[in-house]
Amino acid sequence: MRFLWVALAWLLAGCLPVAVLRSPEPVAGRSLALGLSAVGVWGQGALLVPYAAYAQGDGSTEYSFSVQLGLRAGLKQALFPGVSLDLGLTLPPFVGQEGLPLAADAGLLLGLGGFYFSPRVHWLGFAYQELNISGFIYQATLGYAGEGFLGEVGVLFNPRGGGQGAALFSLSAAVRL
């Protein structure tokens, strides 16, 4: 059973952007962030996954690329002050590998002061029966964006997991250069 949870953590970290690590306001200019996420299932241990992101924008629209095993291309659009829509498409780490999907995500970034909250939904283009994963994965992230630093806690939830520990928790931090 422990092997299945480790496989779940690696699979989701490879296919989904586990760390959000983005402030609600689109960047004006360029930004580079380097960090690390601890990803795990409660009581089953954690895995460390590196994170890197590049973003460029004009203060109202931002285009970004991030790597956390898989490569994510993203678009963030400011809706109101402190509120942005964030969309992305993630390629798996091994393109062309049998059973590994493209994943799409959509979420909001809601900010107040330096804190932000990001509810989002991920769509996986495959089913992985052994881990009972298919379709939609939901995520909630609470973070802090300080001067040159981002830190957050998050949870990914698979509603098909049926109460068998289907939540994947993450603790992430990055420095902005």
Side-chain angles (χ1 to χ4, degrees):
M1 186 67 166
R2 184 176 178 96
F3 170 76
L4 287 177
W5 289 119
V6 170
L8 171 66
W10 273 109
L11 177 74
L12 291 180
C15 299
L16 302 177
V18 172
V20 174
L21 292 173
R22 287 183 292 285
S23 62
E25 302 296 336
V27 299
R30 295 182 179 141
S31 174
L32 178 65
L34 301 172
L36 194 64
S37 293
V39 181
V41 176
W42 193 263
Q44 299 293 322
L47 303 167
L48 294 178
V49 184
Y51 173 87
Y54 172 80
Q56 184 171 337
D58 62 8
S60 64
T61 303
E62 172 184 305
Y63 302 96
S64 64
F65 292 97
S66 61
V67 176
Q68 190 162 32
L69 294 183
L71 174 65
R72 179 185 186 269
L75 169 69
K76 181 169 40 171
Q77 179 64 50
L79 302 175
F80 307 103
V83 178
S84 292
L85 176 64
D86 188 31
L87 306 170
L89 181 65
T90 303
L91 294 172
F94 308 108
V95 176
Q97 185 76 14
E98 184 77 24
L100 290 178
L102 290 175
D105 67 275
L108 290 174
L109 284 160
L110 310 167
L112 182 59
F115 292 93
Y116 63 89
F117 176 67
S118 181
R120 61 186 55 236
V121 63
H122 301 270
W123 177 78
L124 294 174
F126 81 115
Y128 196 73
Q129 298 304 323
E130 289 83 3
L131 296 176
N132 205 16
I133 298 171
S134 180
F136 294 99
I137 305 286
Y138 301 95
Q139 182 177 11
T141 303
L142 180 62
Y144 180 76
E147 187 65 36
F149 171 80
L150 296 156
E152 66 185 31
V153 294
V155 63
L156 286 159
F157 180 76
N158 174 20
R160 283 194 58 197
Q164 301 173 17
L168 183 69
F169 297 93
S170 66
L171 175 63
S172 305
V175 294
R176 285 193 279 196
L177 307 172

